[in-house]
Amino acid sequence: MKVVVLTGAGVSAESGLPTFRDPDGLWEGHDPMTVATPEAFAADPDLVQRFYDERRAVLAQVRPNAAHVALARLEEHLGDDLYLVTQNIDDLHERGGSKRVHHMHGRLRAAWCTTCDRRHEWTDSLVGRPACPTCGQATMRPDVVWFGEVPHDMDSVQQAIFDCDVFVAIGTSGTVYPAAAFVHYAIGNGADTLELNLAPEPVSDFAQVRQGPATETVPAWVEEMLR
Ligand code: BV8
């Protein structure tokens, strides 16, 4: 049984990390979709660096929840038959125990030097233009995928979806592409599809939808899978 799990902001919501769609989903009056762009970074790098510095700082105050932990348990049992891809840039899947997490939109706790192209584990702020540990240049940006940029691991994600028997989307609104198209690739491949969401979006035509908070629906689904 080959399983692909796609997660979004909803899987981390109960850990205290805001989702993009919350009524107050704005950041300092900015629509995050506008801050998370190369154009915004070129126009006002301090604004964008502060946006990510604040989100990186919040990570130290939150913990993985029962959904993250349950997915790590599923990985233990399924091994390579589980492919976990996330749109989230937090590290709660790893802190929940998952070993193989594909961050298609990058990671908050990493910095990318645009001079020497090296990536560095990073927990501190970047607004102060710290020097790159490798080349010394003050050209590090958050290692995240902005709108208009190519997501990571697209080849292995598409291969995993084409090979899967079950595709499960957890806590995602299905509004950002190419992630929002994955369910259609899975359906086209004849896989079973399941959505776990607090308020399933009508857009998605999953074969099965389970409504509820991820900390309840994910452990219950994993229990079923293991049984
Ligand atoms: C690209 C990192 C080319 C930075 C992010 C086709 C059509 C239209 C537009 C496009 C298209 N193709 C490309 C585009 C443009 C664009 C796009 O999709 N625009 C949208 C706005 C229309 N896409 C891109 O630019 C992408 N790049 O396409 O390159 C390409 C493509 C393929 C192959 C090669 C090249 C790059 C997009 C990546 C942008 N970076 N994040 C950062 O985080 O700051 S996107 C970011 O927003 C997240 O990563 C995530 O992807 C998205 C937010 O969505 P969700 O995670 O789903 O969160 P949301 O708040 O929306 O929803 C939360 C859900 O959880 C809800 O459903 C809610 O009900 C549920 N929930 C809440 N609480 C709980 C819960 N569920 C369970 N339990 C709970 N407790």
Side-chain angles (χ1 to χ4, degrees):
M1 165 84 72
K2 285 185 171 301
V3 179
V4 170
V5 172
L6 169 71
T7 64
V11 81
S12 295
E14 294 160 83
S15 292
L17 288 182
T19 70
F20 276 66
R21 281 281 166 281
D22 275 13
D24 57 3
L26 287 185
W27 176 77
E28 290 192 5
H30 300 273
D31 171 358
M33 300 277 189
T34 58
V35 180
T37 63
E39 294 76 21
F41 189 60
D44 187 344
D46 284 6
L47 176 89
V48 175
Q49 293 282 25
R50 261 190 317 105
F51 176 53
Y52 289 100
D53 283 354
E54 287 181 15
R55 292 169 67 185
R56 195 176 301 108
V58 170
L59 277 187
Q61 293 140 28
V62 298
R63 300 268 164 286
N65 62 49
H68 300 110
V69 173
L71 289 171
R73 194 156 158 258
L74 184 63
E75 181 191 68
E76 251 172 66
H77 285 269
L78 290 186
D80 290 343
D81 289 341
L82 174 68
Y83 189 98
L84 175 57
V85 54
T86 186
Q87 299 166 79
N88 302 342
I89 59 178
D90 66 57
D91 60 349
L92 295 179
H93 280 303
E94 288 87 348
R95 286 158 60 192
S98 288
K99 302 282 179 295
R100 290 183 311 286
V101 184
H102 298 267
H103 286 270
M104 69 180 289
H105 292 164
R107 298 183 302 129
L108 255 179
R109 283 185 159 172
W112 175 26
C113 175
T114 53
T115 300
C116 70
D117 198 28
R118 293 291 295 272
R119 285 172 160 84
H120 306 278
E121 296 305 307
W122 203 268
T123 54
D124 214 337
S125 78
L126 285 173
V127 75
R129 300 283 183 287
C132 165
T134 302
C135 74
Q137 294 299 309
T139 51
M140 293 206 288
R141 56 164 272 185
D143 183 17
V144 298
V145 177
W146 285 327
F147 288 95
E149 295 183 327
V150 178
H152 300 317
D153 296 1
M154 278 300 100
D155 299 345
S156 80
V157 169
Q158 267 152 12
Q159 193 53 53
I161 293 172
F162 287 137
D163 297 343
C164 77
D165 306 292
V166 180
F167 175 84
V168 183
I170 303 172
T172 183
S173 61
T175 52
V176 171
Y177 289 77
F182 291 171
V183 62
H184 305 301
Y185 303 160
I187 290 168
N189 166 48
D192 285 345
T193 57
L194 169 65
E195 180 181 18
L196 306 179
N197 195 305
L198 193 60
E201 316 286 341
V203 291
S204 44
D205 42 14
F206 287 82
Q208 202 191 134
V209 175
R210 295 189 191 168
Q211 183 155 6
T215 55
E216 290 169 18
T217 58
V218 178
W221 170 67
V222 167
E223 207 45 53
E224 263 173 50
M225 289 293 287
L226 299 184
R227 215 175 308 121

